Amino acid sequence: MAQLDVALIGAGGIARAHLPAWSALGARVRIYAPDGQAPSLAREFAATSVPSREEAMAGADVVDVCSPTDTHPEIALSALAAGAHVLCEKPLALTAADAELIADTAESAGLRLYPGHVVRFFPAYARLRDLVSGGALGRVAVARFTRTGVYPTWSPWFADPARSGGILVDQMIHDYDIARWLFGEVVRVHARQCGHLTAPAPEDAVATGTAVLTHETGVISQVVGVWAPPGTPFRTTFHVAGTDGTATHDSVASTGLRITGGPGGAAEGIPSGDFGESPYTTQIREFAAAFAGTGPEPRVGARDGVAAVRIAAAAAESARTGRAIEFDGSAV
């Protein structure tokens, strides 16, 4: 694979998940972060810290957007204008209109845009995809996905719905994407949320969300998210029932699954485990091969990112209004 020149924007927890993958692939990485954390991160991962975003992007093959969600559209559009391919952490944007604008701009420019929906690369979910698509479960009727992690108070922007979208968008978008990947387009969303839903969030804050998705295939999937008090173990589950069987998964049964802490030891919400290769590395390896023109299309693409934002935005609107949101799933 050709050596890629990568501009990584942001120095939070997700940047620490991406950097080992870029290092393993031999990429040249320049880091810029407006909070002043880039120099220490660059030293830790043998990358280069630069003082401006423009300097980071200059001549880059790829821009890796690891900044807060509300900054994604402006950074991604700037990267595309500079002629770079883009890896953008999920969600692509807070609104479907902004997500579509990014995807349309990339398509018009002939550049690649991939959203960081890393759960598709976790072994249990990849295996579930094989089971469902291969017909091992027969005709699926219902599915349930849950995701529990500590309330992300280590970065105050997570608690601000104007910046992150809150739990219904920031955390639960992982499982909206998985549900759509497995069961097809979503045409109806009904959601609720409760708990601490505004910034600032105290250390013992709790928030929960639930969304019921109706797929055009007739499958009903439920997505449940929890931002829990400190000390709560990270946990994901799924239960999928079909006419020929069921598939279940509970991450607590995998003793190697854990939350990766930052340099100060604080959990930063990045799951890791004894997977063989990190799912983040698997994801970025697929993206990098496509960026370099040496591999097939990855298992997730720009329009998947747009669709996930559309579902998440519908969930947020449903929770705000108390009514189900219906739309044409083929519109993405």
Side-chain angles (χ1 to χ4, degrees), residues 3-328:
Q3 186 180 45
L4 291 173
D5 195 314
V6 177
L8 189 144
I9 311 301
I14 200 62
R16 292 181 172 277
H18 285 205
L19 277 164
W22 289 121
S23 296
L25 295 171
R28 295 183 297 267
V29 181
R30 294 187 297 276
I31 306 174
Y32 169 71
D35 60 4
Q37 298 302 307
S40 61
L41 194 63
R43 286 192 297 271
E44 183 177 346
F45 289 96
T48 301
S49 171
V50 294
S52 71
R53 194 176 77 191
E54 293 72 22
E55 188 172 345
M57 289 187 184
D61 300 307
V62 178
V63 173
D64 186 354
V65 184
C66 293
S67 56
T69 302
D70 61 319
T71 68
H72 288 181
E74 195 271 329
I75 295 173
L77 291 170
S78 295
L80 294 168
H85 303 296
V86 173
L87 161 55
C88 184
E89 253 310 315
K90 61 81 198 166
L92 279 180
L94 290 173
T95 69
D98 280 345
E100 286 194 42
L101 175 60
I102 301 169
D104 289 346
T105 301
E107 188 173 299
S108 296
L111 295 166
R112 296 179 181 274
L113 165 69
Y114 297 122
H117 286 290
V118 72
V119 175
R120 293 195 185 199
F121 299 83
F122 275 70
Y125 294 85
R127 175 59 176 152
L128 178 61
R129 163 76 172 186
D130 291 342
L131 291 172
V132 171
S133 63
L137 304 181
R139 182 176 58 82
V140 173
V142 293
R144 187 172 192 263
F145 302 89
T146 75
R147 184 167 302 269
T148 300
V150 172
Y151 202 117
T153 55
W154 52 83
S155 292
W157 66 271
F158 283 108
D160 184 351
R163 301 203 66 195
S164 73
I167 189 170
L168 285 168
V169 176
D170 180 81
Q171 188 213 50
M172 292 168 60
I173 197 169
H174 280 303
D175 295 302
Y176 305 149
D177 176 64
I178 291 295
R180 175 180 169 271
W181 190 40
L182 295 172
F183 311 125
E185 301 296 347
V186 173
V187 296
R188 188 175 189 270
V189 180
H190 195 188
R192 295 188 64 184
Q193 61 181 343
C194 61
H196 193 99
L197 305 173
T198 58
E203 285 297 317
D204 60 350
V206 173
T208 64
T210 184
V212 177
L213 314 181
T214 302
H215 300 263
E216 63 180 4
T217 55
V219 176
I220 303 295
S221 56
Q222 182 189 30
V223 176
V224 177
V226 179
W227 277 346
T232 302
F234 178 78
R235 184 184 188 189
T236 65
T237 73
F238 60 68
H239 182 91
V240 179
T243 54
D244 293 341
T246 62
T248 62
H249 166 71
D250 189 333
S251 66
V252 298
S254 174
T255 57
L257 189 67
R258 54 190 176 274
I259 289 293
T260 300
E268 293 187 342
I270 309 299
S272 64
D274 300 325
F275 304 117
E277 180 175 78
S278 161
Y280 292 93
T281 298
T282 305
Q283 171 187 244
I284 289 178
R285 187 185 303 280
E286 282 194 17
F287 293 165
F291 288 142
T294 60
E297 280 301 308
R299 69 192 73 175
V300 61
R303 296 298 167 182
D304 297 314
V306 174
V309 171
R310 195 156 180 257
I311 297 166
E317 183 181 354
S318 176
R320 180 179 59 82
T321 63
R323 61 184 179 86
I325 307 300
E326 298 187 8
F327 47 82
D328 178 2

